[in-house]
Amino acid sequence: MDEISQGPKRDFRLPSALWLVLVTAAGLIAVVTTLMLTGGGRHAAVPPKGPTALAVPAPSPTAAPGTVLLTCDSANWGLAGNWQAGSLKAGPLWFVDGRQVGYVHDGGWHGTGRATRRPGKLHLGVMIVEVRSGSTVVMKPAAAARSYFHFVDGFGPGAGYKLPAGDTGFTFDACPRGSGGPNGQVTDFYLGFSMQAGRAAPVRIWSSAIPRPIRVIFTCPGRGCEQ
């Protein structure tokens, strides 16, 4: 696996036809199918196992400016045991199937120069993000990409939720350290994004666990994303 260098629900619903067009990569189709068969939506987090922690109140998590806060209560569960195999790692965060499907790349990705600047068709993508237990991570697109790239809160059979006005990214506050779910010592978040075909969107990720922000590049994967 590569190590790179460095809400209440909204009323907006994405059209199901466009949503289904994007889920073209075989690896991610399998993930979505599994979720639908197992009722994989957003569920309450599994209570931590092990010794009871000392009663020291933890500070309430807060969202970084311009982001939506997602906490342990927003978690989803249910990936296969080998989910890390094709994932892209960015500090304490993983993009599940990111390398295998090709929707996200490290900051030095060689295809950035081939991206077009003319407007293309809007395509919608799904993604699963895993965050290491006990970590708080912020993820936002670069300002220059916000005219053609947007994150979406959640995904499902034809549904997703637009972020509130002024918010462009997420603050992930993972479940406490030592409270692993079925996927290990990580917290699952099921999300999505929309972007114009042919574009490459820089996204920054930062956390107290890494010395400087990490840059990744989102692209539109699958057939039909060239225009």
Side-chain angles (χ1 to χ4, degrees), residues 104-161:
V104 64
H105 316 266
D106 64 46
W109 180 56
H110 60 81
T112 304
R114 299 197 302 267
T116 65
R117 295 187 177 275
R118 58 184 176 82
K121 295 179 182 178
L122 183 66
H123 291 267
L124 307 174
V126 300
M127 65 178 183
I128 299 176
V129 170
E130 299 280 353
V131 179
R132 183 184 299 137
S133 296
S135 300
T136 299
V137 182
V138 179
M139 179 172 71
K140 293 178 70 174
R146 294 172 191 170
S147 62
Y148 59 87
F149 178 89
H150 306 277
F151 281 122
V152 176
D153 183 7
F155 72 76
Y161 300 91

Side-chain angles (χ1 to χ4, degrees), residues 163-176:
L163 302 189
D167 289 338
T168 62
F170 299 102
T171 296
F172 303 106
D173 187 66
C175 296

Side-chain angles (χ1 to χ4, degrees), residues 47-55 176-179:
K49 296 180 180 180
T52 303
L54 295 177
R177 195 181 309 276
S179 59

